[in-house]
């Protein structure tokens, strides 16, 4: 009863949000996954900024519906920390050379992709450390008159949490990958992008769902 009340509250409180029918597993065509990874100039959304965004949209089985990638030139590149630069290779001159978009153009392009690819599906935001990516995307959207809640359901799917429930109680992505027999995500800053992260997230999701299905089959025997 309590879970029903929580779900009802979330549905009623979400502004202008098209919601798929609950539960998602019984209404699979009404739902999809927005598998997202962002790269930023630091850890603090609202102060630090997003410098690229990768997204792969899928159905609940992990079948790809479409993908998106954009590099974004931040308004305050001077705020970029050295640790962030060492992870994602951000450099103002390099970003200009690579044709980075300004923020307003990036937001418009992403929302056009979202509308076209999601269609009538309710998209469940899915990421590794989902609140980090969600907070940066929300901050960017709000700066340009949009809201995360207008485009995504209230709920988040956090991949380390999914791994924990599948019997891999770890947080570090390389360790979770090793437990599933996957290669770790690239740590080469020249290759590490939001899209490479989204691709890795999708591979992780598929491996976790296969593990969960195997566990269910073993339990049923």
């Amino acid at each position: 009863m309590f879970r029903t009340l929580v779900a009802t509250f979330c549905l009623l409180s979400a502004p202008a949000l098209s919601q798929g029918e609950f539960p998602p597993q019984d209404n699979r065509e009404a739902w999809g996954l927005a598998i997202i990874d962002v790269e930023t100039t630091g850890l603090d959304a609202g102060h630090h900024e997003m410098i690229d965004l990768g997204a792969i949209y899928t159905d609940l089985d992990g079948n790809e519906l479409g993908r998106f990638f954009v590099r974004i030139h931040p308004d305050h590149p001077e705020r970029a920390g050295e640790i962030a630069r060492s992870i994602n290779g951000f450099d103002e001159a390099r970003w200009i050379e690579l044709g980075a978009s300004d923020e307003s153009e990036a937001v418009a392009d992403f929302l056009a992709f979202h509308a076209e690819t999601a269609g009538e599906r309710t998209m469940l935001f899915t990421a590794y450390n989902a609140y980090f990516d969600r907070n940066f995307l929300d901050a960017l959207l709000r700066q340009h008159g949009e809201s995360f809640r207008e485009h995504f359901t209230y709920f988040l799917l956090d991949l380390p949490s999914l791994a924990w429930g599948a019997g891999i109680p770890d947080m570090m992505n390389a360790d979770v990958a090793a437990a599933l027999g996957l290669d770790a995500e690239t740590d080469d800053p020249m290759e590490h992008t939001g899209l490479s992260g989204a691709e890795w997230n999708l591979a992780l999701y598929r491996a976790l769902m296969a593990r969960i299905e195997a566990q269910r089959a073993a339990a049923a025997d």
Side-chain angles (χ1 to χ4, degrees):
M1 179 64 175
F2 176 74
R3 287 181 295 176
T4 301
L5 290 173
V6 170
T8 301
F9 171 79
C10 293
L11 294 175
L12 294 177
S13 63
L17 182 61
S18 173
Q19 289 279 352
E21 292 294 321
F22 284 87
Q25 63 267 27
D26 293 338
N27 300 277
R28 302 182 72 84
E29 294 304 314
W31 289 82
L33 304 179
I35 301 175
I36 303 286
D37 187 61
V38 307
E39 297 300 323
T40 71
T41 59
L43 298 177
D44 298 325
H47 174 72
H48 295 116
E49 297 164 286
M50 195 187 303
I51 52 90
D52 80 26
L53 167 64
I56 302 177
Y57 281 23
T58 75
D59 64 17
L60 296 188
D61 294 317
N63 299 309
E64 185 171 334
L65 304 173
R67 60 176 54 200
F68 175 85
F69 177 67
V70 65
R71 283 189 170 88
I72 306 168
H73 197 83
D75 289 339
H76 299 282
E78 72 281 359
R79 296 177 183 172
E82 290 307 312
I83 293 177
R85 290 176 185 267
S86 72
I87 292 172
N88 53 46
F90 174 69
D91 176 80
E92 297 92 319
R94 180 169 176 253
W95 248 236
I96 292 171
E97 181 180 343
L98 290 170
S101 300
D102 63 34
E103 287 186 349
S104 60
E105 180 183 6
V107 167
D109 289 346
F110 173 67
L111 292 180
F113 161 81
H114 173 84
E116 179 179 357
T117 309
E120 297 300 315
R121 293 177 186 265
T122 295
M123 301 307 294
L124 178 59
F125 188 91
T126 304
Y128 205 98
N129 301 326
Y131 280 98
F132 176 87
D133 298 80
R134 186 258 188 221
N135 288 344
F136 270 93
L137 180 56
D138 186 47
L140 179 63
L141 292 175
R142 286 182 182 277
Q143 288 170 10
H144 295 275
E146 297 285 342
S147 170
F148 180 93
R149 292 286 302 280
E150 293 174 2
H151 303 286
F152 300 94
T153 185
Y154 172 86
F155 299 97
L156 304 177
L157 183 59
D158 181 55
L159 292 172
S161 300
L162 184 61
W164 194 292
I168 307 173
D170 211 321
M171 295 293 181
M172 303 306 293
N173 55 11
D175 295 332
V176 173
L180 291 166
L182 298 176
D183 291 334
E185 186 181 357
T186 181
D187 59 2
D188 182 346
M190 298 298 108
E191 300 293 333
H192 184 89
T193 67
L195 186 57
S196 75
E199 290 171 337
W200 188 84
N201 288 346
L202 175 55
L204 181 65
Y205 175 80
R206 288 170 172 166
L208 285 169
M209 295 309 294
R211 180 186 178 95
I212 291 168
E213 282 301 312
Q215 291 171 340
R216 287 174 177 165
D221 288 342

